[in-house]
Amino acid sequence: MTTPACTSASKAATRAATPTPYPSFSTYVRARGPVLLRTARSLTPNPCDAEDLLQTALAKTYVAWDRIEDHRALDGYVRRALLNTRTSQWRKRKVDEYATDELPEPTPALVTAPAADPAEQQVLRDAMWRAVMKLPDRQRAMLVLRYYEDLSEVQTAEVLGVSVGTVKSAVSRALGKLREDPELAPVR
């Protein structure tokens, strides 16, 4: 009788041979992963943090997979998990950034003419996202859901669990702040 040299390897091989309990979850993640990652990237400025945020939200979704009755509403469930997870992270965060009057590195001025060059378009996109990232988390979430994810005011209110009036006023304030952002002044 022979015993395997590495019992953990044989156990791992046995686990790898067993099918995933929810094959539809894997299909869902493969199909909707890029869209969900885009949503996560709009909720946090760091792309690596966005991947971690999405991974955490998908783990929460996987745990609740058999309790989710309507699998057509999975995007809303995952978006809600993303927002809740991001809010929890934001509340727990350590404040190690300090606001100053002077930026450490000056940002290049944006061009005033419409950008036809892809590099100029990218500069404009980057400036816009920097301005969006300056907004408070709640306003940014509403703005992203409303315009980036193209949800209606009612849908945005449902996803965030707030009233439609709250969405309207917060989006209005966020757009006002974007209009006042000095980095976007040449675009106007």
Side-chain angles (χ1 to χ4, degrees):
M1 179 161 113
T2 60
T3 57
C6 180
T7 57
S8 62
S10 63
K11 288 179 184 176
T14 305
R15 277 192 303 258
T18 59
T20 306
Y22 304 118
S24 58
F25 178 79
S26 301
T27 305
Y28 171 75
V29 172
R30 275 194 294 280
R32 300 298 294 163
V35 173
L36 296 171
L37 181 59
R38 203 171 60 221
T39 302
R41 287 192 73 174
S42 64
L43 293 173
T44 181
N46 185 342
C48 295
D49 290 343
E51 291 174 2
D52 291 343
L53 179 65
L54 178 60
Q55 191 68 25
T56 303
L58 288 174
K60 290 178 180 182
T61 304
Y62 182 79
V63 169
W65 190 258
D66 56 345
R67 292 182 311 217
I68 300 173
E69 295 174 8
D70 186 10
H71 282 251
R72 292 173 295 178
L74 285 171
D75 281 355
Y77 186 92
V78 176
R79 267 195 224 108
R80 182 43 126 174
L82 283 167
L83 287 168
N84 289 347
T85 303
R86 179 65 182 136
T87 302
S88 296
Q89 290 172 348
W90 176 78
R91 287 180 181 150
K92 293 176 187 175
R93 83 185 192 301
K94 237 177 51 178
V95 178
D96 51 34
E97 294 180 12
Y98 301 99
T100 63
D101 291 335
E102 188 176 320
L103 294 174
E105 301 168 3
T107 56
L110 294 174
V111 292
T112 55
D117 181 23
E120 291 175 0
Q121 289 176 348
Q122 186 61 45
V123 167
L124 180 60
R125 251 193 303 296
D126 290 344
M128 179 58 113
W129 276 113
R130 280 192 300 272
V132 169
M133 289 304 174
K134 291 178 193 174
L135 296 172
D137 287 342
R138 186 171 177 176
Q139 286 181 359
R140 184 179 341 124
M142 288 184 190
L143 198 67
V144 165
L145 289 173
R146 181 74 180 93
Y147 295 107
Y148 192 69
E149 288 291 321
D150 201 27
L151 297 181
S152 69
E153 291 169 343
V154 174
Q155 291 170 324
T156 303
E158 287 175 6
V159 167
L160 295 174
V162 297
S163 70
V164 175
T166 302
V167 172
K168 287 181 181 181
S169 64
V171 167
S172 175
R173 273 187 254 117
L175 291 174
K177 288 180 182 179
L178 290 178
R179 282 186 204 103
E180 295 171 0
D181 193 298
E183 195 175 2
L184 298 176
V187 178
R188 287 184 218 115

